Amino acid sequence: MLEKNFSGFVLETGTDEAGRGCLAGPVTAAAIILPEHFENTILNDSKQLSEKTRALLRPILEKEALCFSVTHLFPDEIDEINILNASMKGMQECILKLKHVPEYIIVDGNRSLNAKLGLKNTFGRQFSKDEIALLKSIPNQSIIKGDGKYLSIAAASVLAKTYRDEYMDKIHEEFPMYNWKQNKGYPTKEHREAIKEFGTTKYHRMSFRLLPEQLELDFFE
């Protein structure tokens, strides 16, 4: 079983993202505060769980959490501020959307959650001075492979993954030729062959290397 708490604070929030390496679709972040005595022997890093197990866990987490939030950051914003900054901004947005103000934040990875606060960009949410001050006031710790070490980060990874997969299933209906229902926007051979044949869509990340040789691509809505 994963560790319950890193900081000793009751309102410790775990946060994580999904979809960073995809060619299409949003990067999706989640944050969650679990109750002090929460236990679950199945919960783990979402990448280690089957789709069926993630689907089983999601309603349990949503029901038992003290609070949680999920945020999608879309390709236009990803292309403008880059995927690393978009991933961090998504997690920051999730923290701001929580019903309770966290006493401490643990984040999967090796980068402080407070890095690059208040980016000025054309797309997406703009943080106010008060929101930036609030984020700066909450102590946080990045933990390498934290989604396989702490329950709250693992829970956030499951929420981020399931909400993102749900979104990709929805837009698959609009552009079925890319088979996003199966590949979820990741750079599979099938996805890249479809890009080569049909060009790109409004859901593709144009700042990414969509094809190995990056041919000139047609774009359609």
Side-chain angles (χ1 to χ4, degrees), residues 3-210:
E3 295 289 328
K4 289 185 178 183
N5 190 281
F6 172 83
S7 66
F9 288 101
V10 173
L11 295 182
E12 179 179 273
T13 301
T15 185
D16 200 5
E17 51 73 28
R20 206 162 122 177
C22 295
L23 305 180
V27 62
T28 302
I32 189 168
I33 302 178
L34 294 170
E36 194 173 0
H37 302 296
F38 176 84
E39 290 186 4
N40 189 293
T41 56
I42 301 170
L43 182 57
N44 201 347
D45 167 14
S46 64
K47 296 184 291 295
Q48 305 300 319
L49 302 172
S50 68
E51 185 175 359
K52 184 178 178 181
T53 302
R54 291 193 298 267
L56 180 73
L57 284 167
R58 176 169 146 182
I60 295 170
L61 296 172
E62 292 178 341
K63 182 180 178 182
E64 296 197 27
L66 295 179
C67 58
F68 73 92
S69 64
V70 179
T71 298
H72 296 303
L73 263 70
F74 295 98
D76 48 9
E77 189 165 8
I78 293 169
D79 288 338
E80 185 174 31
I81 65 175
N82 81 43
I83 187 58
L84 179 58
N85 287 332
S87 299
M88 300 306 293
K89 184 170 181 279
M91 290 188 277
Q92 292 161 358
E93 287 192 28
C94 284
I95 297 300
L96 293 172
K97 286 160 63 175
L98 290 172
K99 187 171 67 175
H100 301 293
V101 177
E103 297 174 290
Y104 201 95
I105 301 164
I106 52 175
V107 54
D108 183 50
N110 59 2
R111 192 173 187 237
S112 167
L113 186 71
N114 285 339
K116 296 287 183 75
L117 273 171
L119 285 169
K120 297 298 181 187
N121 55 297
T122 310
F123 304 101
R125 177 174 179 171
Q126 302 292 309
F127 294 161
S128 68
K129 288 182 179 179
D130 287 344
E131 287 173 331
I132 292 170
L134 175 62
L135 286 167
K136 284 183 175 179
S137 74
I138 306 169
N140 69 88
Q141 177 65 49
S142 57
I143 301 171
I144 295 171
K145 296 184 179 178
D147 48 7
K149 295 175 181 176
Y150 289 92
L151 283 171
S152 62
I153 303 180
S157 78
V158 169
L159 292 179
K161 174 67 174 162
T162 54
Y163 274 85
R164 186 182 188 280
D165 284 357
E166 189 174 78
Y167 180 87
M168 296 307 294
D169 290 349
K170 181 180 175 183
I171 64 172
H172 166 87
E173 303 303 323
E174 192 176 348
F175 293 105
M177 66 281 277
Y178 301 96
N179 200 16
W180 290 329
K181 192 173 183 67
Q182 182 66 37
N183 62 53
K184 308 305 183 191
Y186 281 92
T188 61
K189 183 180 179 182
E190 174 191 41
H191 189 185
R192 283 191 153 136
E193 286 298 319
I195 293 171
K196 202 171 180 179
E197 182 176 355
F198 300 107
T200 58
T201 71
K202 59 189 175 183
Y203 298 114
H204 281 98
R205 303 174 185 177
M206 302 309 293
S207 58
F208 278 46
R209 192 177 181 185
L210 300 177

